[in-house]
């Protein structure tokens, strides 16, 4: 049963019962955007959708990007998001947060979600970071089922120097097999999460060109749940599952639908906080993302935009680029394809996905 979601009017959620595991009950949660109930629906949003999207979040995350849902609706899509098992809305206190031992476990989550939302319209799968890895592998394993794959900073390989990448994967997989719940040192920082909290005095004086956006969540803080997104331990068994997925990507994939891959222009390499972390990817190696993205299939669009790890949470000028790119890709690479829909071709010709020069931003 659909119930009101924490995101407020225009959003509803429904839990999906999955097969239990050694920690007990397991659920996934689908969130849907209800355009008729959204007081902040973007002007020009069509009443009747012609495709559906299913969005999957990254590690240590959950769906909270309202603007993404509204932009998809503007493009003619019916928007759904999935909080995977043991994340966000689906996490239970007795569970190891985010725990899986193989990424194939998420196939149940995705199939149950698709069963709920239906495949009567073409499906565009959307993924961010770890969700980008999960959706990429699912698309490869399920040819013919997707109209498009949208990837936002997908985690397609370990963020390590190339010379040690292969041995690092081997070490993780060996430890993961012997001691799957062993906690591993991350050796990193949490600059990305810090960048989502808003501009502070540690950033120095806000540049004049950003002062007009001072009230925007990208500078005022996104108000993300500290329960569902906080500092988490990395377990060897979980990371081994990730590296196995990375190995499959490295071997080469053959995804048969159009793919859009967006990534930041630069990775943040500093070991001390600076305001630059607000305009770069402080999580992944963006050069590796671009390299791997080119090997995912025959129809890949790659776009580099100077934003944070989740590009949809960047400052307004960056988000405008993200939405302009997304809407353009949907129009040219997805909607225009003759095999995009099971509907009559005339219905496709009636769809006009707007790609204005001045892209709207949704009230947040």
């Amino acid at each position: 049963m659909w119930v009101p979601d924490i995101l407020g009017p225009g959003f509803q959620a429904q839990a999906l019962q999955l097969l239990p595991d050694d920690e007990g009950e397991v659920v996934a949660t689908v969130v849907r955007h209800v355009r008729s109930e959204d007081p902040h629906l973007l002007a020009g949003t069509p009443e009747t959708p012609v495709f559906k999207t299913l969005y999957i979040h990254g590690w240590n995350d959950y769906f909270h990007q309202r603007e993404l849902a509204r932009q998809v609706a503007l493009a003619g899509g019916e928007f759904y998001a999935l909080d995977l098992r043991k994340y966000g809305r689906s996490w239970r206190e007795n569970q190891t947060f985010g725990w899986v031992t193989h990424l194939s476990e998420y196939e149940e989550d995705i199939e149950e979600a698709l069963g709920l939302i239906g495949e009567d319209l073409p499906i565009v799968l959307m993924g961010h970071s770890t969700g980008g890895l999960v959706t990429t592998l699912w698309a490869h394993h399920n040819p013919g089922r997707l109209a498009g794959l949208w990837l936002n900073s997908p985690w397609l390989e370990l963020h390590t120097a190339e010379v040690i990448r292969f041995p690092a994967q081997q070490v993780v997989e060996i430890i993961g097999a012997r001691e799957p719940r062993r906690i591993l040192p991350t050796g990193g920082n949490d600059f990305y999460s810090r960048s989502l909290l808003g501009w502070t005095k540690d950033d120095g004086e806000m540049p004049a060109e950003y002062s007009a956006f001072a009230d925007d969540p990208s500078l005022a803080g996104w108000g993300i749940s500290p329960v569902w997104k906080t500092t988490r331990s990395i377990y060897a068994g979980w990371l081994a599952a990730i590296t196995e997925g990375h190995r499959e990507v490295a071997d080469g994939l053959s995804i048969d639908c159009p793919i859009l891959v967006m990534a930041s222009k630069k990775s943040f390499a500093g070991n001390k906080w600076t305001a630059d972390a607000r305009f770069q990817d402080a999580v992944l190696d963006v050069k590796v993302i671009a390299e791997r993205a080119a090997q995912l299939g025959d129809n890949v669009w790659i776009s580099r935009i100077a934003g944070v790890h989740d590009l949809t949470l960047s400052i307004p000028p960056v988000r405008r680029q993200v939405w302009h790119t997304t809407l353009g890709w949907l129009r040219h690479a997805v909607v225009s394809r003759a095999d995009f829909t099971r509907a009559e071709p005339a219905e496709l010709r009636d769809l006009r996905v707007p790609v204005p020069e001045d892209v709207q931003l949704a009230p947040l």
Side-chain angles (χ1 to χ4, degrees):
M1 179 177 67
W2 293 102
V3 298
D5 186 62
I6 61 168
L7 296 181
F11 294 89
Q12 298 176 347
Q14 182 169 162
L16 302 174
Q17 200 71 44
L18 306 177
L19 294 175
D21 64 9
D22 59 355
E23 293 185 326
E25 180 189 43
V26 179
V27 301
T29 308
V30 174
V31 180
R32 72 175 177 182
H33 178 230
V34 185
R35 62 187 69 201
S36 62
E37 299 179 7
D38 186 353
H40 301 300
L41 197 67
L42 294 174
T45 298
E47 293 184 4
T48 304
V50 295
F51 65 94
K52 296 180 179 181
T53 63
L54 181 64
Y55 169 85
I56 298 180
H57 57 83
W59 180 76
N60 190 24
D61 209 348
Y62 66 103
F63 171 66
H64 53 84
Q65 296 85 344
R66 297 178 182 88
E67 190 173 64
L68 172 60
R70 290 165 181 151
Q71 294 290 346
V72 167
L74 179 64
E78 188 172 285
F79 182 88
Y80 298 86
L82 177 63
D83 276 13
L84 296 168
R85 63 181 68 201
K86 305 185 181 184
Y87 284 101
R89 299 164 180 83
S90 306
W91 176 63
R92 302 296 181 261
E93 290 187 0
N94 65 296
Q95 295 175 336
T96 304
F97 190 91
W99 177 257
V100 291
T101 57
H102 197 282
L103 295 183
S104 63
E105 294 178 45
Y106 292 134
E107 292 180 6
E108 182 185 12
D109 305 48
I110 296 173
E111 292 294 348
E112 289 295 323
L114 291 175
L116 174 66
I117 71 178
E119 297 183 63
D120 53 312
L121 292 176
I123 300 294
V124 176
L125 202 54
M126 313 181 83
H128 164 59
S129 197
T130 307
L133 175 62
V134 171
T135 54
T136 292
L137 294 175
W138 191 92
H140 175 65
H141 297 154
N142 291 270
R145 294 185 64 183
L146 294 180
L149 177 64
W150 179 97
L151 301 174
N152 170 11
S153 302
W155 191 16
L156 301 179
E157 188 170 340
L158 280 178
H159 188 177
T160 56
E162 184 174 1
V163 68
I164 65 169
R165 198 167 290 148
F166 180 68
Q169 287 178 331
Q170 287 186 316
V171 169
V172 167
E173 290 167 5
I174 291 171
I175 296 175
R178 295 176 178 174
E179 302 176 69
R181 292 186 183 268
R182 178 175 173 180
I183 296 176
L184 299 177
T186 60
N189 58 64
D190 204 19
F191 292 160
Y192 168 58
S193 294
R194 182 173 174 176
S195 73
L196 304 180
L197 298 177
W199 194 280
T200 70
K201 62 181 181 180
D202 293 336
D203 296 316
E205 184 176 356
M206 184 180 294
E209 62 264 35
Y210 302 136
S211 59
F213 314 126
D215 294 332
D216 186 85
S218 60
L219 297 175
W222 285 100
I224 296 171
S225 169
V227 176
W228 292 346
K229 187 173 178 63
T230 186
T231 303
R232 302 287 183 186
S233 297
I234 298 290
Y235 294 92
W238 175 84
L239 190 55
I242 296 295
T243 60
E244 185 176 349
H246 289 159
R247 190 186 301 278
E248 185 173 358
V249 171
D251 288 342
L253 304 183
S254 54
I255 297 173
D256 63 353
C257 66
I259 306 166
L260 171 64
V261 180
M262 294 185 292
S264 185
K265 287 187 176 181
K266 188 175 181 181
S267 293
F268 182 75
N271 54 17
K272 292 184 179 180
W273 170 263
T274 71
D276 289 341
R278 298 187 179 282
F279 313 103
Q280 300 173 11
D281 191 324
V283 179
L284 298 180
D285 185 334
V286 294
K287 291 182 179 179
V288 171
I289 293 175
E291 291 170 2
R292 285 284 182 254
Q295 303 172 28
L296 298 181
D298 294 332
N299 187 348
V300 183
W301 293 29
I302 301 175
S303 180
R304 305 288 294 277
I305 303 173
V308 295
H309 177 52
D310 183 344
L311 292 165
T312 72
L313 302 181
S314 302
I315 62 173
V318 175
R319 299 206 308 275
R320 292 182 191 278
Q321 294 180 56
V322 170
W323 305 135
H324 193 278
T325 299
T326 297
L327 294 174
W329 173 72
L330 286 168
R331 183 183 68 179
H332 294 295
V334 178
V335 176
S336 62
R337 293 179 73 219
D339 61 345
F340 167 71
T341 181
R342 301 183 184 95
E344 293 299 321
E347 295 182 37
L348 277 182
R349 290 195 294 270
D350 290 339
L351 176 65
R352 298 293 181 266
V353 177
V355 189
E357 289 301 319
D358 186 20
V359 177
Q360 301 179 72
L361 294 185
L364 299 166

